[in-house]
Amino acid sequence: MQQSLRRFKADIFQALAHPTRIAIIELLEQGELSAGELTEKLSVEQANLSQHLAVLRAKQLVVNRKSGNQVFYTVRDPIIIKVLELMRRYFYTHLQEAMDLLGEMDQKDQKVETGARS
């Protein structure tokens, strides 16, 4: 059972392992969009968008519906948006830690330079 769950998690992260696919999910956070709207907002070729949407559909992260000659997409389960929000928070936490570390290093360098001049 644990191995199946780990495989499921890995498959989801693999589906999200491209910035364009993450951008698609983030755009769909606001609600349903047509393939044409996604193409326009992402400034990508239609064929490229179709490939990314196919990956997201295969992993059941997005669902689609057809209306006439248009296809509309939505996020299948809003919890994936929460996962991305948690990743954003994780990123900013580590970015802040890195900035704090660089600030400390800069202060040490300044002390060394000041000490060398004395």
Side-chain angles (χ1 to χ4, degrees), residues 34-89:
S34 71
E37 290 171 314
L38 287 167
T39 300
E40 186 178 309
K41 289 178 183 281
L42 294 169
S43 299
V44 296
E45 301 264 338
Q46 189 274 330
N48 186 270
L49 178 71
S50 292
Q51 290 176 342
H52 289 299
L53 287 168
V55 170
L56 295 173
R57 276 194 321 270
K59 298 302 178 187
Q60 298 181 5
L61 295 175
V62 300
V63 293
N64 65 318
R65 72 172 179 88
K66 293 182 181 181
S67 179
N69 64 348
Q70 288 192 317
V71 181
F72 293 88
Y73 291 88
T74 55
V75 172
R76 180 174 175 259
D77 187 336
I79 198 150
I80 198 67
I81 293 166
K82 291 184 182 194
V83 169
L84 293 178
E85 287 173 7
L86 288 171
M87 290 302 297
R88 188 178 307 121
R89 286 178 32 201

